[in-house]
Every structure is written in C-alpha cells, then in structure tokens.
Amino acid sequence: DTAVSQTPKYLVTQMGNDKSIKCEQNLGHDTMYWYKQDSKKFLKIMFSYNNKELIINETVPNRFSPKSPDKAHLNLHINSLELGDSAVYFCASSQDADYQETQYFGPGTRLLVL
Amino acid sequence: AQSVSQHNHHVILSEAASLELGCNYSYGGTVNLFWYVQYPGQHLQLLLKYFSGDPLVKGIKGFEAEFIKSKFSFNLRKPSVQWSDTAEYFCAGGPPGNTGKLIFGQGTTLQVKP
C-alpha cells in the first residue's frame, strides 16, 4: 500500500519536449513537495504546496510549473526540456507545513533529457 | 546562508565495524535536524530526528545521533553495522518557520562488506 507514489519511474525524452510527472499521496497529508536530486546527489527543494496553495517556490526556471488539483496530488509539468533538467525528481508529503513534521518520500522519477 | 554539509561522501566498512557519519549545519537559533536513509531500490525514509530535549536521539535499526550545539554537529552513529545497512544516508536541517522547507546535505554512500 504505497504512501507516496510517482509516475513515471523513468522518463527519457528529447530536448525541447514538454513532460509531466505525477505524484499522489494516500496519507491524508496537507503538504506536498517537489525536490530535485542532481548528479552529485544534492537534494534541493523546488516547490511546496499546503492545502493546494503554493508556499515554497525556490529559484526554479519558469519552465517548471507545479499543479495541485487537490491536496492528495501534486504534479510537475516541465516545458521545453533542457539537458540540465536531467535529474531524479522526488515528491514528498507531510502532515502539514510545520518544519518539525516528518516528510514521506516517493520513489523518485529519473528524467533523462537527450 | 543556511546549509547542511556531510563530509564523508563514501564510506566502506566491514560488518561489525562501528559507524560515524558526520553532519554539520549552519543555522542560528532553533533548528530541527533529521537523518534520512535510502536503501537500494527503496524510498527515502526517516531514520531519526531531533527537535529539542535530550541531545542523544535514538532511531530505527540501532542508529543514534548526537546533537552538539557548540559544534553545530549532528553525527550519526551505530556501534556495529550490518550488510543490510548498505545505503545512502542524508542529513537534513529544517530552519524555523512553517514552510516545511528542508535543506539536505550531499549524502553519504555507506557500503558494508559481508
């Protein structure tokens, strides 16, 4: 019974394409996140939504647009993909946006842009 | 700037050896600290966390970490590692506030030889 799931697990695409990654959590959490893990394994926060409202928006190109249709889903759409977007993208959720809350992570989506 | 750093990038140990992974943070004031682990093929999951109180925190699978405020450190320890501890270990810090934002260290790859 997966708590935080992401689709797809792997995504290989050409430069310039538009792609989406979906994330769903069945934990009843209010807050969801997107992280990017680069080739050096650094995990960096990109976005955070609390009850469908954006609360963290780090310095991320406008080509990245998160969408939260409801509090159980947070999708990531990427326009005009570039080589530098190749990374592993992790979705996470927590009970709320309190910084003491444990975050639960999805399995990651490995994106390769050719 | 707030940061979390892990100095050991790749550690190789034999079974039954003792483990200590370093983590340093740079925050002023209140900070929450976490260790997450990612076993091969699995999700990132919480190992242990520190908010306040006893600076020695015990987590799952025999791991513990000690918060030393004067050294800005939160090192992870285990007295005797097992082959199943082979994984990626990430230290993370949560700055004060209600955004849930976590800042991760670069991660340490632990390889335990049977």
Side-chain angles (χ1 to χ4, degrees):
Chain A
D1 199 20
T2 306
V4 182
S5 59
Q6 295 177 230
T7 52
K9 278 189 91 169
Y10 300 96
L11 187 52
V12 182
T13 187
Q14 299 286 333
M15 256 192 339
N17 284 349
D18 302 338
K19 290 293 178 187
S20 291
I21 308 172
K22 295 187 177 182
C23 177
E24 176 181 2
Q25 54 95 2
N26 63 5
L27 298 167
H29 288 168
D30 286 347
T31 309
M32 295 184 73
Y33 311 82
W34 276 110
Y35 287 86
K36 179 181 179 181
Q37 185 179 42
D38 63 23
S39 57
K40 295 186 178 178
K41 295 186 298 171
F42 266 114
L43 257 170
K44 195 169 176 191
I45 183 80
M46 298 173 70
F47 301 104
S48 169
Y49 271 72
N50 187 56
N51 272 321
K52 302 197 300 173
E53 288 194 22
L54 183 67
I55 54 171
I56 295 177
N57 185 354
E58 291 294 289
T59 309
V60 175
N62 291 339
R63 299 181 294 103
F64 290 78
S65 52
K67 292 224 173 13
S68 183
D70 55 60
K71 89 180 180 172
H73 295 85
L74 180 62
N75 302 325
L76 184 65
H77 188 75
I78 316 170
N79 288 329
S80 303
L81 277 155
E82 299 177 358
L83 294 177
D85 297 332
S86 296
V88 182
Y89 292 84
F90 287 96
C91 177
S93 73
S94 61
Q95 184 63 54
D96 57 42
D98 190 297
Y99 64 113
Q100 296 187 348
E101 290 293 334
T102 299
Q103 294 186 15
Y104 294 81
F105 285 79
T109 295
R110 196 171 292 272
L111 171 65
L112 178 60
V113 182
L114 302 173
Chain B
Q2 296 162 340
S3 67
V4 174
S5 58
Q6 293 177 243
H7 307 297
N8 319 105
H9 298 306
H10 197 159
V11 174
I12 303 173
L13 294 173
S14 298
E15 274 194 315
S18 65
L19 169 73
E20 180 159 4
L21 301 182
C23 173
N24 287 94
Y25 65 93
S26 64
Y27 298 102
T30 306
V31 61
N32 294 331
L33 295 160
F34 305 78
W35 276 97
Y36 280 84
V37 61
Q38 187 173 26
Y39 297 104
Q42 294 189 30
H43 300 200
L44 208 63
Q45 58 186 284
L46 183 71
L47 205 50
L48 49 80
K49 59 185 178 182
Y50 170 79
F51 295 152
S52 62
D54 189 345
L56 187 61
V57 179
K58 294 194 184 298
I60 60 171
K61 304 190 180 187
F63 285 91
E64 64 179 32
E66 186 173 11
F67 172 64
I68 304 179
K69 191 173 180 180
S70 60
K71 294 184 179 179
F72 297 90
S73 70
F74 189 56
N75 292 354
L76 181 70
R77 300 195 295 245
K78 186 170 183 178
S80 175
V81 294
Q82 301 172 314
W83 176 77
S84 58
D85 293 325
T86 295
E88 296 274 350
Y89 292 82
F90 294 90
C91 184
N98 61 352
T99 63
K101 179 176 174 179
L102 276 184
I103 296 174
F104 281 82
Q106 192 176 358
T108 298
T109 303
L110 172 64
Q111 186 182 350
V112 180
K113 294 184 174 179

